């Protein structure tokens, strides 16, 4: 692995609120052949790691034990920026694992050049495979999409060594569609009968 994140074992007497005030993010580490560990990670180191190695990396605990891990769950604050808690699961290099990875859409769709709008329906996807084959992210090129076109998960299944969950194959990742035109009905002017019009009408009769 090209990135190692440092963590420390956490004493359960250390309350999560106190840890956060002191610049730590509380978390836990678990695996089939590993005892569950309660850990804490420096906030800024974790944030930097997640921004560039979002899915898997090495986690070193107390400068000794190293684990190849995948991110299982990240709990964030109401504004989705503050990191509150993180869970990791240990990846066995000899076993197939699943991982939640972000999607990155690159290119400008042909349909956008004709006034179409690109809609990203998913922002992350679950992948399955051996740890060495699992990516940090899945890149999807949208440059060939015309208006009315879309990319399903099933369109990607033959492009990578890893697999996508079968139940996700029918999901639409991204689509290009016509821009919606909002038509506003102008209120009709009410016909107002003025007194002189009424008088003229009566005189005519």
């Amino acid at each position: 692995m090209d990135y190692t994140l440092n963590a420390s074992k956490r004493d359960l007497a250390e309350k999560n609120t106190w840890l956060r005030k002191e610049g730590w993010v509380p978390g836990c580490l678990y695996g089939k052949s590993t005892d569950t560990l309660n850990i804490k990670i420096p906030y800024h180191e974790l944030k930097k790691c997640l921004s560039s190695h979002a899915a898997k990396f090495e986690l070193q605990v107390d400068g000794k034990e190293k684990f190849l891990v995948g991110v299982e769950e990240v709990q964030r604050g109401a504004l989705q920026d503050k990191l509150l808690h993180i869970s990791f699961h240990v990846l066995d290099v000899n076993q197939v694992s699943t991982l939640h990875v972000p999607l990155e859409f690159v290119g400008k769709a042909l349909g956008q050049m004709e006034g179409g709008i690109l809609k990203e329906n998913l922002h992350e996807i679950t992948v399955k495979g051996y740890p060495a084959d699992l990516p940090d992210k899945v890149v999807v090129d949208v440059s060939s999409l015309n208006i009315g076109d879309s990319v399903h998960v099933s369109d990607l299944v033959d492009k990578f060594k890893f697999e996508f969950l079968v139940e996700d194959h029918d999901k639409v990742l991204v689509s290009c569609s016509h821009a919606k035109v909002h038509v506003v009905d102008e209120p009709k002017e009410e016909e107002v009968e003025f007194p002189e019009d009424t008088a003229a009408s009566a005189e005519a009769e």
Side-chain angles (χ1 to χ4, degrees):
M1 297 298 296
D2 58 353
Y3 192 89
T4 299
L5 178 66
N6 294 300
S8 302
K9 288 183 180 179
R10 171 168 58 99
D11 191 326
L12 292 180
E14 297 175 312
K15 300 298 183 182
N16 288 347
T17 51
W18 179 85
L19 286 170
R20 294 179 188 125
K21 286 181 180 179
E22 294 298 312
W24 297 92
V25 179
C28 62
L29 169 72
Y30 65 91
K32 292 180 179 179
S33 57
T34 305
D35 292 333
T36 299
L37 290 178
N38 293 299
I39 57 175
K40 57 185 179 181
I41 306 163
Y43 182 90
H44 293 292
E45 284 189 32
L46 178 59
K47 192 169 184 179
K48 178 183 176 182
C49 176
L50 294 180
S51 66
S52 54
H53 304 273
K56 66 171 185 176
F57 40 83
E58 275 191 343
L59 184 71
Q60 186 170 30
V61 181
D62 289 334
K64 301 174 183 177
E65 300 175 280
K66 277 189 178 183
F67 304 92
L68 176 61
V69 300
V71 176
E72 182 67 24
E73 182 184 17
V74 180
Q75 295 178 16
R76 300 178 183 271
L79 299 178
Q80 296 297 307
D81 182 47
K82 188 73 173 177
L83 299 171
L84 301 179
H85 189 276
I86 189 164
S87 300
F88 302 101
H89 64 274
V90 179
L91 302 175
D92 187 327
V93 294
N94 298 314
Q95 290 187 353
V96 171
S97 300
T98 58
L99 206 60
H100 306 298
V101 299
L103 291 162
E104 181 180 339
F105 300 100
V106 298
K108 185 171 184 178
L110 292 172
Q112 287 180 287
M113 301 176 190
E114 299 174 1
I117 293 178
L118 199 69
K119 182 182 179 182
E120 299 174 5
N121 296 303
L122 296 177
H123 298 288
E124 70 171 19
I125 192 73
T126 302
V127 294
K128 182 179 179 181
Y130 289 101
D133 297 328
L134 297 178
D136 275 331
K137 59 186 176 183
V138 174
V139 179
V140 181
D141 187 354
V142 302
S143 57
S144 64
L145 292 183
N146 287 296
I147 293 177
D149 290 343
S150 59
V151 178
H152 292 75
V153 175
S154 57
D155 296 323
L156 305 179
V157 295
D158 296 325
K159 296 184 178 182
F160 304 101
K161 288 184 178 181
F162 55 85
E163 300 176 9
F164 297 95
L165 301 183
V166 174
E167 55 266 34
D168 289 342
H169 283 195
D170 291 333
K171 292 182 178 179
V172 177
L173 297 175
V174 60
S175 59
C176 187
S177 58
H178 286 286
K180 292 183 178 179
V181 179
H182 297 282
V183 179
V184 178
D185 293 329
E186 294 184 3
K188 294 182 179 179
E189 294 184 6
E190 295 184 3
E191 293 183 1
V192 179
E193 193 174 74
F194 294 96
E196 57 268 23
D197 293 336
T198 306
S201 176
E203 187 177 339
E205 292 179 358

